[in-house]
DNA sequence: GATTTCACGTA
DNA sequence: CGTACGTGAAATCC
């Protein structure tokens, strides 16, 4: 493995035997896997490394938490508390400088200086990166492999590579962006917002309220105004107002206004101006493992783009979009990671809910509710009865979920199938932990799949990751290769990730011009 | 000026 | 009284 550190035009390299000042060409032509303090530095590289070990990404898998700067990463593998964060003002503090001259990155107390990357020799930082990688790898191997029948490298090492690949992919997603049909986008936004200025948009609703004395953007004001029209609601959320559509014409108008206002404020002209570049690419910031369970996140609203707007994501000339959705991924993941043989048998089918329904003796919709209720910790309503049957039919899966919930309730951290530590904290909400072991494991499977797809793609690019969906932008002549790759990558990923479980993972793939186009 | 509440889109 | 996320407007806090 080759550790790489970049600082300006300096490139520090280390291969375990020696460390030296290197050239970009050495990195580009190296056939070794690269170790990086953070894959984010690849933004500075005019190349796309095939495989990296991202120390920050692996650190978050092993130890959780939000900090992933080198000093914190270093501290964790040395089983010590993270030092105070880098502080530009502290650097100017003469007393601190007098105590700790900036000569070596590792201080006398064994900690890595928070500002080491500023002053230390880059080749030395590369050597340290290699050390940390070895320690992380050892720590990962200490976690037991959860698979009943390991068929390849230790699963937690697979996770390390996949999470690193996801971090690398994030830098590419940020750089590439989504192909955006600007003309269609501007046109569609114009139609959806009804009117360009607020007053004109508000007018029809205010007319039906028969007053100007209501602020449509103030929920309290709207609630009062509705009360004056004889509609009493605890809050004005649209699902609650839905029942009053026929009670008064203003409700219908208000709900339509809400949709228009939503587009105007969040996905309007300002949004296009802010996030679509001169090259007609829609860009956001990406994070490879955010939040409690380690899902990918994206800014610029990329993960919550309303369905009615998705037609504006369109392939460029000579290209197609290839969209691929994993089917019923969370229950399949539950079947795999819990080791429930019966549930895995259901998860061996194309449609998981049909055999579950047969086993429970209920119809398919009820079976679906029961499975989702089990995974998400729902206890009320119709789910309650179905849950009891789930307990009897799939005791192993349900015990797995209950154990996670109990751990969360008493504040014990849990680990996902891939080895990610999910800190529960003192807040200890049981449902959170119950869901995290499923959602988090699904995120790991997804990232492993995405990593395999990324490495197999030719000139195509992954342009969107959406929890269980990949969107590729590929030259027309490579579309069939891409479709085959999406399927084969899932098969090879599932083969080791869920080996011996009997669970099948399925994917819907469609070649389209626009993201909105139907699957199949 | 920063934080909280409400609301709503996606998985 | 199912989980997670990001976003924006207004109210609220300081």
């Amino acid at each position: 493995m080759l550790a790489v550190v970049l600082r300006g035009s300096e490139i520090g390299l280390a291969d375990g035997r020696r460390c030296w000042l290197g050239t970009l060409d050495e990195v580009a032509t190296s056939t070794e896997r690269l170790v990086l303090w953070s894959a984010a530095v690849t933004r500075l590289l005019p190349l796309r490394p095939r495989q990296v070990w991202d120390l920050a990404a692996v650190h978050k898998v092993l130890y959780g938490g939000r900090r992933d700067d080198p000093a914190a990463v270093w501290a964790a593998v040395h089983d010590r508390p993270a030092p105070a964060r880098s502080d530009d003002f502290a650097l100017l503090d003469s007393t601190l400088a007098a105590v700790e001259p900036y000569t070596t990155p590792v201080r006398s107390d064994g900690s890595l200086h928070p500002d080491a990357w500023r002053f230390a020799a880059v080749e030395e930082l590369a050597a340290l990166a290699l050390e940390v990688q070895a320690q992380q790898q050892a720590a990962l191997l200490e976690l037991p492999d959860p698979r009943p029948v390991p068929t390849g490298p230790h699963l937690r090492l697979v996770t390390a590579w996949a999470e690193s690949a996801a971090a690398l992919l994030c830098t590419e997603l940020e750089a590439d962006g989504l192909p955006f049909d600007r003309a269609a986008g501007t046109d569609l936004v114009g139609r959806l917002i009804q009117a360009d200025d607020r007053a004109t948009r508000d007018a029809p609703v205010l007319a039906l309220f028969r007053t100007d004395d209501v602020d449509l953007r103030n929920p309290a004001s709207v609630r009062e105004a509705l009360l004056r029209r004889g509609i009493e609601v605890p809050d004005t959320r649209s699902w609650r107002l839905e029942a009053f559509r026929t009670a008064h014409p203003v409700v219908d108008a208000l709900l339509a206004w809400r949709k228009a206002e939503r587009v105007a404020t969040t996905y309007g002209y300002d949004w296009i101006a802010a996030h679509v570049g001169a090259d007609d690419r829609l860009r956001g910031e990406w994070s490879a493992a955010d939040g409690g369970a380690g899902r990918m996140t994206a800014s610029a609203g990329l993960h919550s783009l309303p369905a009615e707007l998705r037609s504006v994501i369109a392939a460029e000339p000579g290209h197609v979009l290839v969209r691929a959705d994993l089917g019923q991924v969370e229950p399949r993941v539950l079947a795999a990671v819990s080791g429930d043989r019966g549930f895995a048998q259901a998860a061996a089918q194309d449609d998981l809910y049909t055999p579950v329904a047969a086993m429970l003796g209920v119809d398919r919709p009820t079976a679906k509710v029961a499975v989702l209720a089990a995974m998400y910790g729902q206890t009320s309503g119709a789910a309650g009865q179905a849950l009891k049957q789930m307990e009897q039919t799939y005791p192993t899966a349900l015990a797995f979920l209950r154990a996670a919930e109990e751990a969360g309730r008493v504040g014990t951290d849990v680990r996902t199938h891939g080895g990610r530590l999910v800190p529960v904290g003192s807040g200890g909400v049981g449902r959170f932990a119950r869901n995290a072991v499923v959602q988090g494991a699904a995120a790991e499977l997804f990232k492993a799949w995405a990593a395999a797809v990324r490495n197999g793609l030719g000139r195509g690019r992954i342009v969107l990751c959406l929890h269980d969906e990949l969107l590729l932008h590929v030259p027309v002549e490579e579309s069939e290769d891409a479709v085959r790759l999406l399927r084969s990558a899932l098969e090879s990923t599932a083969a080791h990730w869920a080996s011996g479980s009997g669970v099948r993972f399925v994917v819907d793939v469609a070649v389209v011009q626009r993201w909105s186009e139907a699957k199949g």
Side-chain angles (χ1 to χ4, degrees):
Chain A
M1 281 195 266
L2 186 68
V4 181
V5 170
L6 297 173
R7 184 173 57 204
S9 56
E10 286 182 300
I11 299 178
L13 301 173
D15 64 5
R17 295 183 305 278
R18 62 195 181 106
C19 54
W20 70 99
L21 269 179
T23 65
L24 190 59
D25 201 43
E26 280 180 273
V27 182
T29 57
S30 170
T31 55
E32 306 216 51
R33 295 168 167 185
L34 305 185
V35 177
L36 302 167
W37 282 103
S38 167
V41 300
T42 58
R43 287 192 187 94
L44 309 172
L45 290 171
L47 56 96
R48 294 178 186 244
R50 190 167 174 279
Q51 203 161 26
V52 305
W53 182 291
D54 179 337
L55 298 172
V58 178
H59 165 80
K60 283 198 286 186
V61 170
L62 273 166
Y63 306 104
R66 285 188 305 276
R67 275 191 63 178
D68 60 359
D69 55 291
V73 170
W74 173 271
V77 294
H78 290 93
D79 199 23
R80 57 166 66 238
R85 270 184 181 282
S86 164
D87 182 348
D88 287 347
F89 294 106
L91 272 175
L92 302 173
D93 187 323
S94 57
T95 57
L96 180 72
V99 171
E100 196 76 53
Y102 299 146
T103 50
T104 59
V106 180
R107 297 186 284 197
S108 51
D109 67 356
S111 67
L112 183 67
H113 196 291
D115 289 300
W117 63 273
R118 287 175 179 275
F119 62 81
V122 287
E123 56 269 48
E124 194 170 3
L125 292 171
L128 293 176
L130 218 50
E131 267 183 56
V132 173
Q133 190 280 331
Q135 286 159 318
Q136 286 187 339
Q137 181 161 319
L140 286 165
L141 290 173
E142 276 179 32
L143 305 173
D145 193 317
R147 294 171 299 185
V149 187
T151 54
H154 195 290
L155 182 64
R156 272 64 193 270
L157 289 187
V158 174
T159 302
W161 290 110
E163 294 294 314
S164 297
L168 185 60
L169 176 57
C170 283
T171 71
E172 297 172 354
L173 289 164
E174 289 182 357
D176 294 336
L178 287 147
F180 186 90
D181 183 340
R182 184 182 294 273
T186 308
D187 188 61
L188 181 56
V189 164
R191 276 186 285 129
L192 292 174
I193 66 176
Q194 310 282 343
D196 285 4
D197 66 299
R198 285 183 168 201
T200 312
R201 200 155 55 234
D202 296 0
V205 188
L206 296 181
L208 285 166
F209 264 124
R210 297 174 176 281
T211 174
D212 288 343
D213 193 29
V214 52
D215 180 354
L216 298 179
R217 293 168 188 81
N218 179 344
S221 173
V222 170
R223 181 169 176 270
E224 267 179 47
L226 286 170
L227 191 57
R228 288 200 293 272
R229 311 303 306 178
I231 296 167
E232 190 173 359
V233 281
D235 59 65
T236 69
R237 289 185 164 85
S238 42
W239 64 266
R240 215 185 278 282
L241 294 179
E242 204 65 42
F244 293 91
R245 267 189 194 274
T246 53
H248 193 287
V250 77
V251 175
D252 227 29
L254 179 63
L255 290 173
W257 176 90
R258 281 257 177 86
K259 286 187 89 71
E261 179 71 5
R262 166 105 178 130
V263 172
T265 53
T266 307
Y267 296 102
Y269 300 123
D270 292 348
W271 172 74
I272 294 176
H275 303 295
V276 180
D279 56 356
D280 287 356
R281 289 295 181 114
L282 169 63
R283 291 182 177 85
E285 290 169 5
W286 286 81
S287 170
D290 235 355
R295 271 186 167 185
M296 295 178 79
T297 58
S299 71
L302 300 185
H303 276 176
S304 44
L305 202 68
E308 58 193 340
L309 270 168
R310 294 187 173 188
S311 61
V312 304
I313 307 302
E316 292 175 352
H319 290 68
V320 291
L321 293 172
V322 185
R323 53 173 300 188
D325 293 78
L326 299 182
Q328 306 169 341
V329 64
E330 290 200 348
R332 288 176 198 280
V333 162
L334 171 61
V337 305
S338 68
D340 189 303
R341 303 306 302 180
F343 200 41
Q345 216 172 334
Q349 304 302 311
D350 271 351
D351 175 41
L352 170 149
Y353 296 119
T354 301
V356 170
M359 286 293 287
L360 296 185
V362 298
D363 60 11
R364 189 180 177 281
T366 305
K368 186 171 178 176
V369 168
V371 169
L372 296 179
M375 285 190 300
Y376 300 153
Q378 188 181 349
T379 52
S380 66
Q385 183 56 36
L387 212 51
K388 279 184 193 160
Q389 290 168 280
M390 283 289 291
E391 286 274 4
Q392 290 168 10
T393 313
Y394 304 115
T396 307
L398 272 287
F400 171 84
L401 292 168
R402 214 181 314 108
E405 173 148 5
E406 177 61 13
R409 215 173 49 71
V410 301
T412 306
D413 295 340
V414 294
R415 244 178 231 285
T416 61
H417 187 65
R420 176 179 298 279
L421 185 72
V422 180
V424 170
S426 51
V429 180
R431 271 198 307 275
F432 161 72
R434 170 187 280 254
N435 181 248
V437 292
V438 178
Q439 190 187 98
E444 285 153 10
L445 172 72
F446 176 81
K447 282 182 257 188
W449 176 45
V453 170
R454 175 189 177 275
N455 280 347
L457 274 176
R459 285 151 57 217
R461 296 283 181 253
I462 298 176
V463 290
L464 186 78
C465 298
L466 190 44
H467 308 316
D468 64 359
E469 175 178 353
L470 280 174
L471 191 66
L472 315 182
H473 188 235
V474 304
V476 176
E477 61 273 20
E478 293 182 18
S479 62
E480 284 181 17
D481 289 340
V483 171
R484 273 193 295 273
L485 171 64
L486 284 159
R487 296 187 185 286
S488 65
L490 181 61
E491 266 188 38
S492 59
T493 300
H496 65 70
W497 197 85
S499 70
S501 71
V503 172
R504 197 147 68 85
F505 287 91
V506 297
V507 59
D508 267 334
V509 185
V511 178
V512 297
Q513 287 299 316
R514 293 176 184 272
W515 187 18
S516 52
E517 287 172 42
K519 286 173 285 188

